[in-house]
Amino acid sequence: MELWGRMLWALLSGPGRRGSTRGWAFSSWQPQPPLAGLSSAIELVSHWTGVFEKRGIPEARESSEYIVAHVLGAKTFQSLRPALWTQPLTSQQLQCIRELSSRRLQRMPVQYILGEWDFQGLSLRMVPPVFIPRPETEELVEWVLEEVAQRSHAVGSPGSPLILEVGCGSGAISLSLLSQLPQSRVIAVDKREAAISLTHENAQRLRLQDRIWIIHLDMTSERSWTHLPWGPMDLIVSNPPYVFHQDMEQLAPEIRSYEDPAALDGGEEGMDIITHILALAPRLLKDSGSIFLEVDPRHPELVSSWLQSRPDLYLNLVAVRRDFCGRPRFLHIRRSGP
Ligand SMILES: C[S@@+](CC[C@H](N)C(=O)[O-])C[C@H]1O[C@@H](n2cnc3c(N)ncnc32)[C@H](O)[C@@H]1O
């Protein structure tokens, strides 16, 4: 699973992918010839890997393995019982693999094809165009958990920590925090109806619905914040849209054709939603409350100088963390004043 997420990020920042591929992504698909003689899982993986490679589909082997494993009822090919690798598949299973593979040929991300994906050990439903959670974001969640563990004297009481997530998407961050912090409560907001309903669905699936308020709200609208059910917050967490607008056209076809641009486009310097969160934070946070953000590697410096220009907010950038590729991608900002 991790590999796929890494690939997505690599495409997001990778060179040489300018120009629209939307047209060819859809028009290049031709009906496949019958798979005469192919019947076992191993043969199908190798057949579809070859087809994907020929059509330039990234992560060809991983894609075909996930699809075949999914149709056989497993999460990964490696977790399939070895007996199933060579056993003949039914014609219904063959047809299903063909249909799912044709979606991959149209550059649909595997997470949407399968309709579910794991995040922090939770199985979440995935529905386009709601943003697919990336493995980097698991590192953000782990950092928040470390902070809560360190401040357990302050936030360990029933109902705490109280956490606000801005831009909940599928609910990945909120639900994994709730599942690992049994006393916590979360307010999760998103401006997209599709994200709100997917977070509701995932909360129900995981039986975490009792400690989460899911609110359909555009955080840039002033009036939205007057009726929050709980507050003030111990923590604000967000993986906001932070892609620099001019980088949007370089995104991989998987991202551009299927994920909501509003989940990605952070404006000219990727700071539009970040600065809204920071400007709002003093009104929502407890005295020494914290903000944890996932950002672009250029943002630690930009955020630091933006905060220096806003001493009235009493917010300090207290730490920057690197992701598994060594890029500075996570910020911890603390409120330290009135
Ligand atoms: C990068 S996605 C993160 C989704 C999820 N937290 C995750 O990490 O998988 C950003 C999310 O912010 C939401 N969003 C964008 N602008 C917003 C706004 N003004 N108010 C509330 N949510 C917003 C998008 O709809 C999207 O779901």
Side-chain angles (χ1 to χ4, degrees):
M1 307 248 172
E2 211 167 72
L3 193 63
W4 182 259
R6 285 172 199 223
M7 183 231 48
L8 284 171
W9 176 256
L11 292 180
L12 189 68
S13 52
R17 290 192 177 267
R18 288 182 181 275
S20 173
T21 44
R22 197 183 284 257
W24 72 258
F26 288 98
S27 61
S28 63
W29 162 244
Q30 303 290 324
Q32 294 298 303
L35 302 177
L38 290 176
S39 63
S40 74
I42 282 189
E43 285 168 332
L44 282 152
V45 165
S46 117
H47 168 78
W48 283 107
T49 299
V51 174
F52 292 156
E53 278 171 356
K54 228 157 75 202
R55 302 290 185 87
I57 305 297
E59 310 245 316
R61 174 154 292 274
E62 289 79 6
S63 301
S64 57
E65 285 186 353
Y66 275 124
I67 289 170
V68 172
H70 177 75
V71 170
L72 294 178
K75 279 201 172 167
T76 62
F77 197 75
Q78 290 66 30
S79 68
L80 270 180
R81 276 186 300 116
L84 289 178
W85 294 351
T86 48
Q87 202 168 292
L89 273 67
T90 65
S91 57
Q92 211 179 0
Q93 286 171 326
L94 290 171
Q95 179 58 23
C96 194
I97 289 169
R98 193 200 305 267
E99 272 171 31
L100 299 184
S101 300
S102 76
R103 290 184 205 164
R104 185 70 195 106
L105 284 169
Q106 293 169 61
R107 303 298 291 257
M108 183 181 263
V110 163
Q111 294 91 333
Y112 289 150
I113 296 173
L114 307 183
E116 59 180 18
W117 200 246
D118 281 5
F119 183 89
Q120 286 277 301
L122 302 179
S123 175
L124 299 170
R125 267 256 303 150
M126 296 287 118
V127 179
V130 180
F131 186 83
I132 297 165
R134 311 301 207 260
E136 292 92 323
T137 308
E138 300 193 65
E139 298 182 278
L140 178 73
V141 168
E142 279 153 24
W143 199 11
V144 173
L145 292 171
E146 280 172 35
E147 170 73 8
V148 172
Q150 273 172 20
R151 299 190 341 178
S152 56
H153 57 285
V155 296
S157 51
S160 76
L162 180 53
I163 301 166
L164 169 68
E165 187 194 359
V166 177
C168 57
S170 62
I173 296 177
S174 291
L175 297 172
S176 51
L177 290 172
L178 280 173
S179 78
Q180 292 177 77
L181 299 169
Q183 310 273 19
S184 64
R185 289 171 299 161
V186 170
I187 298 175
V189 307
D190 204 290
K191 75 170 184 180
R192 290 296 198 221
E193 191 84 55
I196 291 302
S197 80
L198 191 56
T199 297
H200 270 293
E201 184 181 342
N202 280 323
Q204 298 275 348
R205 251 165 90 102
L206 298 164
R207 298 181 201 284
L208 290 167
Q209 71 276 15
D210 294 345
R211 290 184 287 125
I212 185 168
W213 273 86
I214 303 162
I215 307 177
H216 186 205
L217 171 159
D218 182 335
M219 68 89 51
T220 61
S221 141
E222 259 306 302
R223 282 178 309 146
S224 345
W225 298 100
T226 47
H227 296 299
L228 286 187
W230 304 314
M233 313 290 158
D234 294 293
L235 299 165
I236 297 175
V237 187
S238 186
N239 171 20
Y242 60 72
V243 178
F244 285 44
H245 181 71
Q246 76 269 19
D247 293 343
M248 288 292 291
E249 66 178 66
Q250 295 180 46
L251 298 178
E254 279 81 356
I255 301 171
R256 277 192 302 154
S257 303
Y258 293 96
E259 292 191 289
D260 182 0
L264 297 149
D265 192 344
E268 198 182 339
E269 290 196 307
M271 292 274 285
D272 288 4
I273 300 297
I274 295 173
T275 50
H276 265 99
I277 294 172
L278 297 175
L280 192 75
R283 277 164 53 195
L284 300 177
L285 277 177
K286 285 183 183 164
D287 283 351
S288 57
S290 285
I291 307 162
F292 286 87
L293 298 175
E294 180 173 327
V295 295
D296 180 272
R298 290 163 282 184
H299 282 139
E301 243 181 89
L302 287 171
V303 168
S304 172
S305 57
W306 189 87
L307 286 175
Q308 277 163 27
S309 74
R310 293 295 309 268
D312 56 306
L313 296 176
Y314 295 94
L315 295 174
N316 297 310
L317 176 56
V318 290
V320 177
R321 267 211 189 170
R322 292 177 183 273
D323 65 12
F324 48 64
C325 298
R327 289 176 290 214
R329 298 282 315 287
F330 309 109
L331 306 180
H332 178 188
I333 294 155
R334 192 176 284 144
R335 182 177 170 193
S336 61

